[in-house]
Amino acid sequence: DAGVIQSPRHEVTEMGQEVTLRCKPISGHDYLFWYRQTMMRGLELLIYFNNNVPIDDSGMPEDRFSAKMPNASFSTLKIQPSEPRDSAVYFCASSLFRESPLHFGNGTRLTVT
Amino acid sequence: AQKVTQAQTEISVVEKEDVTLDCVYETRDTTYYLFWYKQPPSGELVFLIRRNSFDEQNEISGRYSWNFQKSTSSFNFTITASQVVDSAVYFCALSEARSNSGYALNFGKGTSLLVTP
């Protein structure tokens, strides 16, 4: 199994630019999660999907953030416009069931200057 | 309110020492799950163990062991005979249902373990 695949691994962008992070979950996993990790706030759940449908987006910081899952094998997290405080490592994870262990991707390190 | 508390921010031990990482959680649910994850310096998050609230048996996996005690709301993790490769940040996490039928996997702030030769 290839595991959860995230791209890009690193992203450096200027304030105001649009950023799109991508994720391919493990095949057959019904749940997909987006997390953000910062030193100050630790690991925060941003949003999660079940069978491609967003279930809980209460962790999304503000309207600048949006996430989609057009099919079972692909999800995006978009930030528009980006701000320096969005700098963090963004993790995508998938699981078979809601309470199953999460399998994390390697993360995308986002730096907004 | 912090759902998962890992009071030890950093721990440093010498190789071959035993070390226990503490985790205290807070929930009103009767059904919940507890997890431990490891984040080595390379940055990925690696699943170690899952425990459900109805199974208080301690678990041992090689040098790793976990002590789950509902009476004290704790799920502690012990590494026996620590090795340099154990150096990582370890996260405890709690999975519980939200009142609006949502779901939450709350992570603690993590404990950074450094094992020196």
Side-chain angles (χ1 to χ4, degrees):
Chain A
D1 201 335
V4 176
I5 300 173
Q6 290 187 248
S7 64
R9 287 299 306 275
H10 302 274
E11 178 78 36
V12 180
T13 190
E14 292 183 349
M15 184 174 64
Q17 297 297 308
E18 177 179 297
V19 174
T20 299
L21 312 182
R22 297 172 176 79
C23 175
K24 176 179 168 55
I26 293 174
S27 177
H29 280 192
D30 288 340
Y31 288 83
L32 183 139
F33 305 81
W34 282 100
Y35 279 86
R36 179 172 67 175
Q37 184 177 33
T38 61
M39 288 295 293
M40 290 297 293
R41 302 174 70 90
L43 276 159
E44 303 173 278
L45 175 64
L46 300 177
I47 185 172
Y48 81 93
F49 296 83
N50 177 26
N51 291 322
N52 314 337
V53 176
I55 302 301
D56 187 348
D57 64 355
S58 59
M60 296 285 261
E62 47 199 274
D63 292 345
R64 296 185 298 106
F65 286 70
S66 62
K68 294 182 180 179
M69 192 165 185
N71 57 63
S73 59
F74 184 65
S75 177
T76 59
L77 178 67
K78 186 176 295 187
I79 308 173
Q80 166 64 19
S82 58
E83 296 182 2
R85 59 190 168 122
D86 301 330
S87 297
V89 179
Y90 290 81
F91 285 100
C92 176
S94 69
S95 68
L96 195 56
F97 304 113
R98 196 182 73 177
E99 287 86 14
S100 299
L102 269 60
H103 296 262
F104 284 84
N106 287 327
T108 294
R109 181 174 294 277
L110 173 66
T111 303
V112 183
T113 61
Chain B
Q2 186 67 31
K3 294 279 190 176
V4 179
T5 301
Q6 296 181 255
Q8 305 146 309
T9 305
E10 295 181 351
I11 301 177
S12 183
V13 299
V14 177
E15 206 169 22
K16 298 183 183 177
E17 284 185 11
D18 298 348
V19 59
T20 295
L21 310 182
D22 297 333
C23 173
V24 174
Y25 62 92
E26 178 186 334
T27 181
R28 294 181 179 177
D29 287 359
T30 54
T31 301
Y32 54 89
Y33 294 83
L34 294 161
F35 301 79
W36 276 94
Y37 285 84
K38 174 182 180 180
Q39 188 173 39
S42 49
E44 72 272 24
L45 283 153
V46 179
F47 164 75
L48 295 178
I49 189 172
R50 181 187 76 162
R51 241 329 169 234
N52 73 56
S53 52
F54 298 107
D55 184 1
E56 284 194 76
Q57 273 195 327
N58 291 334
E59 176 135 353
I60 299 175
S61 176
R63 296 183 298 107
Y64 294 173
S65 62
W66 291 268
N67 184 308
F68 175 29
Q69 292 199 349
K70 290 178 74 171
S71 60
T72 56
S73 297
S74 65
F75 186 43
N76 297 337
F77 173 30
T78 297
I79 302 175
T80 303
S82 60
Q83 300 176 1
V84 173
V85 292
D86 295 328
S87 297
V89 180
Y90 291 86
F91 293 94
C92 180
L94 166 70
S95 164
E96 57 179 353
R98 282 180 173 162
S99 58
N100 61 353
S101 305
Y103 161 85
L105 180 60
N106 292 294
F107 282 85
K109 296 292 188 186
T111 296
S112 178
L113 174 65
L114 177 64
V115 183
T116 55

